[in-house]
Amino acid sequence: MNVIFSKCSAAINNSLTTGGYGIFYSKVGVEETLIHVHECCEVLLCLNGGGCFLIDDRIYEVNDGDIFIINQFEPHKITFKDKDNFERYVFQIHPQYIYGNSTDNTDLSVCFYARDNTLGNRISLEFDELKYIKNLIENLKKEQNFGDDIAKNCVINEFLRFLNEKFAQKNLDAQYSESVFNQTNKIISNTVKYINKHYNEAITLADIAAYSFVSVSYLCTLFKKMFGTTIIKYITSKRISEAKKLLNSGKSISEAAEESGFNDYANFMRTFKKVVGVSPKKYSVK
């Protein structure tokens, strides 16, 4: 049973069609202009060459050996230092699998959904911990003659157990200080925070720039240089992410459109299908 793929789309598709998981591995970077969300929970292990990672309203400098934990509602985009030298594993794990393998005593979903303002998405691994994770991945590459699916599920369950254990340690460590990039770049941090607070309003680039006391042209250039995409596309991604949350909570399509900041219903329908791949109606009945 193959669970490691050379294309991210294949890993996502395997997770969605099986209700399980798929893992994307690559040594090269792929330019993505759109900040995006997935239907699955994502765990990214950076082995080499990461740049910065925008996850919702947090911006991280990526170090080798960093793990990032992302749920299906958090818009995100990672950049890299060198297109030809960006090695990472990206786990796409269906929420159904995570809940299905949890118990009354062990909730494997905690690290994905129980974060507050003080806890970020990153877990930085020590040398021995990184070695342990690499060994788990090697076990996923092996094909067993009997019970291959069970063997691989055991590996994924141990991986999830490990992540939650590390997350719990991080939560208990009062001295833990999340080193996020927005501590050294207040303009970008302010931009992301302003958008995330006002995404459901009729905000303009002028509004956003004024919040950081810079010109529109300077702000747009800075944002594009850091993330390779535009502020407008980020706003769209944020609104679509919120619309998905609203649809999942039982809101009607019109309510989701209005509450996520789309004043034009037709534009919402068109944009949602373009970004998500299915219409809001099909998405809401999944």
Side-chain angles (χ1 to χ4, degrees):
M1 182 178 77
N2 179 46
V3 297
I4 299 180
F5 305 90
S6 59
K7 291 184 177 181
C8 189
S9 58
I12 294 172
N13 184 64
N14 194 71
S15 176
L16 293 176
T17 56
T18 65
Y21 47 86
I23 302 157
F24 166 57
Y25 171 73
S26 181
K27 290 185 176 181
V28 298
V30 178
E31 294 288 352
E32 294 179 334
T33 58
L34 191 65
I35 299 165
H36 56 278
V37 292
H38 301 298
E39 295 304 302
C40 306
C41 292
E42 179 175 310
V43 181
L44 185 144
L45 168 62
C46 180
L47 297 177
N48 187 58
C52 64
F53 207 164
L54 169 63
I55 306 174
D56 206 2
D57 61 354
R58 294 172 181 263
I59 306 167
Y60 303 87
E61 287 183 291
V62 182
N63 302 308
D64 296 351
D66 279 351
I67 280 183
F68 293 91
I69 302 171
I70 308 162
N71 66 44
Q72 72 269 39
F73 303 116
E74 294 177 302
H76 57 278
K77 184 182 189 297
I78 193 168
T79 64
F80 42 83
K81 299 173 183 175
D82 181 357
K83 180 180 179 180
D84 299 319
N85 190 27
F86 178 35
E87 185 176 11
R88 74 274 188 206
Y89 284 94
V90 184
F91 293 71
Q92 299 289 343
I93 309 175
H94 201 290
Q96 173 182 311
Y97 180 90
I98 297 171
Y99 289 120
N101 286 274
S102 297
T103 68
D104 291 339
N105 295 322
T106 305
D107 184 356
L108 296 174
S109 74
V110 169
C111 64
F112 294 99
Y113 301 107
R115 291 188 303 275
D116 57 23
N117 292 331
T118 63
L119 290 172
N121 305 77
R122 170 169 44 197
I123 294 175
S124 296
L125 300 178
E126 301 291 339
F127 177 81
D128 288 345
E129 293 171 334
L130 179 57
K131 183 178 179 181
Y132 179 68
I133 295 301
K134 286 182 176 179
N135 184 62
L136 289 180
I137 293 172
E138 288 302 312
N139 287 334
L140 288 171
K141 296 177 182 178
K142 298 176 181 177
E143 295 293 332
Q144 306 293 334
N145 291 327
F146 179 77
D148 185 61
D149 56 340
I150 295 176
K152 286 183 169 62
N153 287 352
C154 287
V155 174
I156 293 296
N157 290 349
E158 169 56 20
F159 179 62
L160 291 170
R161 187 208 63 79
F162 173 86
L163 291 179
N164 279 277
E165 181 180 58
K166 290 295 296 179
F167 181 81
Q169 290 173 0
K170 173 180 173 179
N171 194 8
L172 291 172
D173 186 358
Q175 302 302 315
Y176 187 88
S177 177
E178 188 66 73
S179 176
V180 294
F181 198 74
N182 61 14
Q183 293 172 343
T184 59
N185 197 318
K186 287 296 182 183
I187 295 175
I188 294 298
S189 173
N190 286 343
T191 298
V192 172
K193 288 181 178 179
Y194 185 89
I195 293 170
N196 286 0
K197 184 177 180 180
H198 299 281
Y199 66 87
N200 59 346
E201 303 171 15
I203 55 176
T204 67
L205 290 175
D207 295 331
I208 302 167
Y211 186 70
S212 293
F213 303 100
V214 297
S215 68
V216 170
S217 60
Y218 178 76
L219 178 61
C220 290
T221 299
L222 191 63
F223 196 92
K224 182 69 179 290
K225 182 179 180 180
M226 180 172 287
F227 297 117
T229 191
T230 67
I231 295 173
I232 295 300
K233 287 183 177 178
Y234 175 75
I235 295 172
T236 299
S237 298
K238 176 63 179 177
R239 286 172 171 167
I240 291 297
S241 176
E242 294 300 322
K244 291 171 71 176
K245 289 183 187 179
L246 292 164
L247 290 172
N248 280 325
S249 71
K251 293 282 187 176
S252 68
I253 295 174
S254 59
E255 288 173 330
E258 181 179 356
E259 293 179 28
S260 61
F262 287 91
N263 294 325
D264 186 320
Y265 183 82
N267 180 47
F268 170 69
M269 299 291 286
R270 182 171 57 253
T271 303
F272 190 98
K273 185 173 183 179
K274 180 179 179 181
V275 174
V276 181
V278 296
S279 68
K281 183 177 181 179
K282 287 185 177 180
Y283 179 84
S284 63
V285 298
K286 287 193 305 179

